Amino acid sequence: MVSTPLLFESALPDRSTTTDLVTVVVPPLAGEYLYAFDSSAFPNLQTGDLIEVPFRRRVTQAFVLSVNSELERSSYEEMKKNSVAIKCIDEAKLYTRAFDQAHLPFYRWIAKYYVEPLSRILELAVPKPVLEKPLRTYSLVETKKQGDNTPSKFGKVQQTIVDYLAREPAPIEGSVLKKECSASAPTIRSLVTKGVIQEHVVSPEDLPLPTPTVAQATPSPLILNPEQQAATTLIANYLYDSSFVAGLLHGVTGSGKTEVYLSLIIDVLAQGKSALIIVPEIALTPQLTERFISRLQAPVAVLHSSLKPKERWRHWTNLVRGRVKVAIGARSGVFAPMHNLGLIIVDEEHDSSFKQGDGIRYNGRDLAVVRAQLSNCPILLGSATPSLETFHNARSGKYLYLPLTTKFFDAPQPDCTIVDLNKTKPWEMKSRNISPEFYQKLQETLERGDQAFVLYNKRGFASYLQCSCCEYVVGCPHCSVTLTYHKNENLGLCHQCNFSLLPPSVCNQCGATKHPTKEDTPLFTQRGAGTERVYDELRELFPNARIATLDRDSASTISDYVEILTNVRERAVDILVGTQMIAKGHDLPGVNFVGVVDCDVGLHMPDFRAGERALQLLTQVAGRAGRRTTTGAVVLQTRVPSHPSLIATAAHQYEKFADYELSMRQSLNYPPFQKILRIIVSASEKSTAQIKINTIAREIERLIQPLDITLLGPAPAPMEKVRTLWRFHLLLKGSTLSDIHRVLKIIKKAHPSTSAVRIAYDLDPHDML
């Protein structure tokens, strides 16, 4: 609904016949505002433009929702009757295309579902615009390419420029010429004056798209096996009919899901449509992008938050203008402004990183399904370990079920061994964390010249430091967690807020300064383990092996990540030790052993998804072993060998686990059988947060009396303190979304988040900590 801005008193410009009107939203405000605009300054103003508007006493950015609609006209006539004047947009420094009118229903759906202002959704979806100055590019005048460029005619630097441009088919930016030819601006201008080279002034948006290089020559497409072909054919039928369907591509690790994706995208491009691929990890995009460019021989836009603002905006603009028809992105890629969308693919759809953890807590996978529905196109959700919600939808017939039960290269499933650490005596262990079975399999792997992955899903050297006198544990002063000891930096580090501390020499609790019995031993004992400790143990056990680590400490940037995996791919690494980062869809033929040092990490979290996550992580990392023709080996070390997640992983029985877990979820009214809303209140004072959550709970109790909703809590959050803020939460479980929405709208309006008391409303939560 269009609403008038608050008492805008600027008079309208004098127009004899018509007034041009526009409706905009101004982030982060909730209203939709009506303006007049000067059509000579904005000759092609349309839905999806991002412009500047006068707002109160300043100029601010706004997104255009509609231009000269009947609703705007009637609102304007009503204002004239009441002598209300509205502001006019006469000029704007910012005037650019942000999205297409066809995308607006999708953004409106998100706003309605998460009960958020449309302006906030657009602010989230559209990257910050970077309006670049026109570029000056240069090329050799055509006649000069015929040989009229003898050395005697030019100086040394000028000749270098001419020779360089003679080798390059496309115009070259001036900055590149200066760098490559050690040239100055006057030298370049003198060649322009002589008529030897041409200067072209071009908008950055019109620069030629990058084309695949010779190194990215198209590989021969692999021949699809019967299961792959059946899945491709079934989805292609919906693609040709331009109709919606959601399909679960449930393929064991190494079954060739990417080949199915590529085959379908080729069909999409042949029809002149576009394709959107969403992946869970930003670090996966370089590897996937290179593979897609190589096969498709077409430019690919990349969208994720780690790109430089200028680069991200260029990719976005190329999509808005329809210059690029394939986009690969992380979670936020779901907002990509694709034209004539023909197919959406969500790879590793089970991954929890598709869920936004702060701000507007949207789920990229779920929004992708909605977008496909609104776009009348098929969506393919791929995973070896689907989320139970997706698997339930496929089992119930809501989604198509497309199984890939065999590995593409006909390799058998890896042999999995569960090692019960309860039965292994400490003196029998090869090191603190490596059992005899683990050691033997790893030794055999190295002797064959194969590679190994070792998973320990904890960073650092020790989980915590504990006083040997009073057993006091060094914790973070800002969070309810212990400090993880990192040996390389000799620091205790909080993995929540990054607070760091040198290992204390005096105990804060008992005042001790030395070990009670051993003088040469540090007062604080290192307890637990992490990737650093496992790395050190493996170096002692296998001194001749080349060992590397892959975690957030060793790979803080995408380039670090790519470099480590390149070393593994080129056989420069024998053993890769890492956290869950090593489980993320890597296709490395040399890896034939995977060892999980401690399967119990994360298994006992106070979260109804803990067992599901454990199965997914273990199955994914086990799938890195034996991806070609060799049978891989997997060792799972644990102290709870009878846990359903471990048994299902070792026996390759995902469906049996899913049946068990879904029956538990149904009996307890958890997703996918009921909707959940989690409300988290946090404040710097514990009592402030507690009083607020209790107030909200009382109001909810009153609201849900006539509704089919259950209230759990309030209670302290499992991680009670994070970044100096005390946290309390409650859960609402309801059988219908409409009931949950009714409560959410009322409570959210009555209790907005403030700087003093932060309130997060998490619909369909994935994290219960």
Side-chain angles (χ1 to χ4, degrees):
M1 180 179 177
V2 177
S3 58
T4 12
L6 297 175
L7 299 175
F8 286 136
E9 297 178 356
S10 299
L12 285 171
D14 183 23
R15 288 186 172 86
S16 56
T17 53
T18 61
T19 299
D20 292 305
L21 300 167
V22 60
T23 302
V24 303
V25 287
V26 179
L29 303 180
E32 296 182 5
Y33 296 90
L34 184 64
Y35 282 86
F37 71 93
D38 183 351
S39 57
S40 63
F42 305 95
N44 300 307
L45 192 65
Q46 57 184 314
T47 300
D49 285 349
L50 178 60
I51 61 172
E52 288 179 335
V53 300
F55 192 83
R56 296 177 187 170
R57 296 183 179 180
R58 61 190 176 92
V59 173
T60 190
Q61 294 182 8
F63 292 98
V64 174
L65 298 186
S66 64
V67 179
N68 290 327
S69 70
E70 291 183 11
L71 183 58
E72 288 158 346
R73 184 64 49 202
S74 61
S75 297
Y76 172 61
E77 294 300 331
E78 188 65 30
M79 288 179 218
K80 282 206 301 185
K81 289 179 185 177
N82 297 314
S83 301
V84 176
I86 63 174
K87 283 189 174 180
C88 179
I89 313 167
D90 293 311
E91 59 180 14
K93 293 180 181 177
L94 177 65
Y95 176 24
T96 188
R97 196 97 182 98
F99 60 90
D100 192 74
Q101 184 171 358
H103 305 143
L104 190 55
F106 176 55
Y107 297 141
R108 286 195 183 277
W109 188 96
I110 301 170
K112 182 179 180 181
Y113 186 81
Y114 291 105
V115 191
E116 290 284 351
L118 176 61
S119 63
R120 285 199 67 203
I121 303 301
L122 293 174
E123 187 179 37
L124 170 72
V126 180
K128 296 291 183 187
V130 179
L131 304 184
E132 302 175 71
K133 295 179 180 178
L135 295 174
R136 298 182 184 277
T137 63
Y138 299 89
S139 63
L140 203 60
V141 173
E142 196 63 34
T143 57
K144 302 301 175 185
K145 294 181 181 179
Q146 309 305 320
D148 188 17
N149 51 13
T150 55
S152 61
K153 294 186 63 174
F154 311 117
K156 183 179 179 181
V157 176
Q158 288 181 329
Q159 185 64 48
T160 303
I161 295 171
V162 171
D163 292 342
Y164 184 83
L165 290 176
R167 296 192 301 267
E168 296 294 331
I172 303 299
E173 289 184 41
S175 58
V176 175
L177 275 185
K178 291 176 184 177
K179 180 180 178 181
E180 296 295 328
C181 304
S182 301
S184 64
T187 303
I188 296 172
R189 280 200 301 272
S190 68
L191 287 173
V192 174
T193 304
K194 293 177 181 179
V196 177
I197 65 175
Q198 285 179 286
E199 181 180 71
H200 315 271
V201 180
V202 61
S203 166
E205 297 175 351
D206 294 324
L207 286 174
L209 295 170
T211 55
T213 63
V214 175
Q216 295 169 330
T218 309
S220 301
L222 299 173
I223 298 174
L224 301 181
N225 64 33
E227 285 184 328
Q228 289 174 312
Q229 190 60 60
T232 302
T233 301
L234 193 54
I235 294 296
N237 290 334
Y238 291 89
L239 197 162
Y240 298 137
D241 293 341
S242 296
S243 58
F244 165 75
V245 72
L248 168 60
L249 188 65
H250 185 187
V252 298
T253 52
S255 58
K257 292 184 286 292
T258 305
E259 286 300 318
V260 175
Y261 302 158
L262 285 163
S263 179
L264 285 168
I265 293 170
I266 289 169
D267 285 350
V268 168
L269 296 179
Q271 293 182 46
K273 297 180 180 180
S274 60
L276 173 60
I277 304 97
I278 306 173
V279 296
E281 286 282 341
I282 290 174
L284 290 179
T285 50
Q287 170 188 339
L288 202 62
T289 302
E290 185 177 313
R291 184 171 178 182
F292 275 51
I293 290 175
S294 170
R295 179 67 65 82
L296 302 174
Q297 288 293 287
V300 173
V302 180
L303 295 172
H304 56 71
S305 58
S306 290
L307 291 174
K308 293 179 180 178
K310 181 166 69 174
E311 189 178 4
R312 192 178 182 189
W313 181 249
R314 277 193 186 180
H315 282 295
W316 182 272
T317 302
N318 283 332
L319 291 171
V320 169
R321 299 176 66 194
R323 300 182 76 208
V324 178
K325 294 185 179 298
V326 180
I328 296 177
R331 177 178 57 233
S332 61
V334 73
F335 304 117
M338 313 297 294
H339 284 270
N340 195 15
L341 190 56
L343 176 69
I344 299 177
I345 292 167
V346 182
D347 193 30
E348 307 295 355
E349 66 82 31
H350 66 275
D351 201 288
S352 60
S353 61
F354 284 123
K355 175 72 174 180
Q356 175 74 12
D358 53 20
I360 300 174
R361 301 190 177 201
Y362 69 93
N363 188 312
R365 178 203 63 206
D366 295 348
L367 291 189
V369 174
V370 173
R371 181 159 191 192
Q373 199 165 11
L374 293 173
S375 303
N376 291 317
C377 75
I379 179 171
L380 200 55
L381 308 168
S383 177
T385 54
S387 67
L388 290 179
E389 289 89 343
T390 299
F391 185 73
H392 176 71
N393 284 336
R395 178 75 68 79
S396 64
K398 186 176 180 180
Y399 293 174
L400 293 179
Y401 184 64
L402 309 168
L404 302 179
T405 58
T406 58
K407 294 197 174 190
F408 187 80
F409 291 97
D410 294 325
Q413 291 281 29
D415 291 332
C416 289
T417 303
I418 295 179
V419 175
D420 184 356
L421 294 177
N422 298 308
K423 296 181 179 179
T424 307
K425 302 294 187 278
W427 57 85
E428 295 175 337
M429 297 287 286
K430 289 294 182 178
S431 67
R432 179 183 292 193
N433 291 285
I434 305 299
S435 65
E437 296 91 337
F438 192 118
Y439 174 84
Q440 181 182 347
K441 292 287 186 183
L442 185 51
Q443 186 178 43
E444 291 171 357
T445 300
L446 296 178
E447 287 173 353
R448 289 194 307 267
D450 291 337
Q451 295 170 289
F453 274 9
V454 174
L455 172 73
Y456 197 110
N457 203 23
K458 279 186 179 180
R459 293 157 51 201
F461 188 82
S463 301
Y464 57 93
L465 298 172
Q466 187 173 38
C467 176
S468 301
C469 293
C470 69
E471 299 186 349
Y472 165 74
V473 174
V474 180
C476 175
H478 311 301
C479 308
S480 301
V481 296
T482 59
L483 296 182
T484 301
Y485 177 64
H486 288 249
K487 182 181 177 182
N488 292 341
E489 293 83 14
N490 190 34
L491 286 175
L493 181 66
C494 175
H495 290 170
Q496 292 296 319
C497 69
N498 288 326
F499 171 82
S500 61
L501 182 76
L502 286 169
S505 55
V506 179
C507 177
N508 285 343
Q509 184 157 299
C510 69
T513 58
K514 60 182 181 179
H515 195 280
T517 58
K518 304 173 184 175
E519 273 194 36
D520 296 333
T521 303
L523 170 64
F524 282 88
T525 304
Q526 298 164 5
R527 303 289 189 191
T531 48
E532 281 187 18
R533 184 187 289 274
V534 173
Y535 173 81
D536 280 2
E537 291 178 18
L538 291 173
R539 283 184 63 188
E540 289 185 17
L541 292 172
F542 302 99
N544 297 323
R546 296 164 298 176
I547 307 174
T549 58
L550 179 60
D551 55 25
R552 296 295 178 194
D553 299 316
S554 60
S556 57
T557 65
I558 290 180
S559 58
D560 293 337
Y561 180 94
V562 171
E563 182 181 357
I564 293 169
L565 288 180
T566 299
N567 289 338
V568 176
R569 189 171 286 108
E570 294 177 352
R571 298 297 188 100
V573 171
D574 300 314
I575 304 173
L576 183 64
V577 182
T579 57
Q580 60 183 340
M581 293 174 73
I582 70 174
K584 302 288 185 178
H586 313 303
D587 185 15
L588 299 163
V591 177
N592 279 308
F593 171 74
V594 168
V596 182
V597 175
D598 188 354
C599 295
D600 308 342
V601 174
L603 197 57
H604 307 296
M605 291 286 187
D607 190 325
F608 70 91
R609 286 193 171 93
E612 178 187 5
R613 287 202 186 105
L615 171 101
Q616 289 165 343
L617 175 60
L618 296 176
T619 301
Q620 292 287 333
V621 74
R624 301 313 109 204
R627 292 179 67 86
R628 291 298 184 264
T629 55
T630 309
T631 302
V634 177
V635 170
L636 307 174
Q637 296 187 160
T638 179
R639 288 179 174 80
V640 281
S642 61
H643 195 284
S645 298
L646 303 185
I647 292 174
T649 298
H652 311 293
Q653 293 178 335
Y654 167 85
E655 292 192 24
K656 187 174 181 179
F657 169 83
D659 289 339
Y660 165 80
E661 191 72 11
L662 285 169
S663 66
M664 295 290 290
R665 298 263 187 103
Q666 188 168 23
S667 64
L668 296 171
N669 291 327
Y670 276 105
F673 303 100
Q674 288 207 343
K675 299 291 288 185
I676 288 186
L677 169 66
R678 183 182 183 219
I679 301 177
I680 311 107
V681 173
S682 54
S684 56
E685 295 294 331
K686 187 174 182 178
S687 59
T688 303
Q690 192 167 14
I691 290 169
K692 188 66 172 179
I693 196 75
N694 288 336
T695 301
I696 292 174
R698 285 194 298 270
E699 291 186 28
I700 288 175
E701 285 175 347
R702 176 177 54 81
L703 289 170
I704 65 176
Q705 286 179 3
L707 305 175
D708 184 17
I709 287 181
T710 303
L711 171 63
L712 300 179
M719 197 172 291
E720 192 174 8
K721 190 180 183 185
V722 175
R723 295 182 179 89
T724 73
L725 298 177
W726 292 92
R727 305 164 73 243
F728 290 81
H729 70 157
L730 57 81
L731 283 183
L732 294 178
K733 295 195 292 186
S735 55
T736 64
L737 176 62
S738 59
D739 284 351
I740 294 286
H741 260 157
R742 189 181 307 179
V743 175
L744 176 57
K745 289 173 185 175
I746 295 171
I747 295 298
K748 200 168 189 178
K749 185 175 181 181
H751 300 279
S753 185
T754 66
S755 57
V757 182
R758 300 182 186 179
I759 305 177
Y761 296 92
D762 192 357
L763 188 55
D764 310 319
H766 268 236
D767 178 9
M768 293 295 172
L769 297 182

